[in-house]
């Protein structure tokens, strides 16, 4: 009897702890065909930020696919000094702007926040790779241009 109770308590504790780090998915409120262009920003120090403007429909679709359905968790992480930030400003044809900010905390993992989410989440997706995978000219960006979500 004691073993049964101990087993049941262990299972319940496991369920409770698993529920605390529940996986969610980002659902973008638009499709790739709604996007006119995407402005990407990358920096370690905001004063040294660079910007790329993505305009080709297939490249825009690739970025939308990167985020739509992306798995995220509400997991505590420690801030990282000297970590890079890669952010995205989706400019839709109807004039709407949707922003995503990704702050790396380790190789292929980081914190991500989106317009309207009200909080940031952890993801193990390699979002920073989007910067180097987009073959567009990088130009200097002013600090006041950088997306800020919250």
């Amino acid at each position: 009897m004691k073993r049964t109770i101990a087993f049941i308590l262990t299972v319940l504790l496991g369920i409770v702890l698993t529920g605390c780090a529940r996986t969610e998915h980002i659902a973008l409120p638009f499709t790739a065909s709604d996007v006119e262009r995407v402005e990407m920003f990358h920096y370690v120090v905001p004063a040294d930020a660079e910007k790329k403007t993505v305009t080709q429909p297939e490249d825009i679709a690739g970025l939308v696919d990167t985020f739509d359905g992306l798995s995220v968790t509400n997991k505590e992480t420690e801030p990282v000094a000297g970590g890079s930030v890669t952010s995205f400003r989706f400019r839709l044809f109807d004039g709407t702007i949707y922003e995503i900010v990704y702050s790396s905390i380790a190789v292929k993992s980081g914190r991500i926040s989106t317009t309207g989410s009200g909080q940031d989440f952890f993801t193990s997706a390699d979002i920073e790779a989007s910067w180097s995978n987009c073959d567009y000219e990088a130009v200097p960006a002013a600090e006041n241009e950088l997306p800020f979500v919250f």
Side-chain angles (χ1 to χ4, degrees), residues 105-118:
I105 58 171
V107 177
K108 297 184 181 182
S109 65
R111 306 284 314 167
I112 191 167
S113 57
T114 62
T115 298
S117 68

Side-chain angles (χ1 to χ4, degrees), residues 10-28:
T10 303
V11 169
L12 288 175
L13 181 61
I15 291 171
V16 168
L17 292 176
T18 303
C20 291
R22 190 180 77 214
T23 300
E24 298 181 31
H25 296 85
I26 293 176
L28 296 178

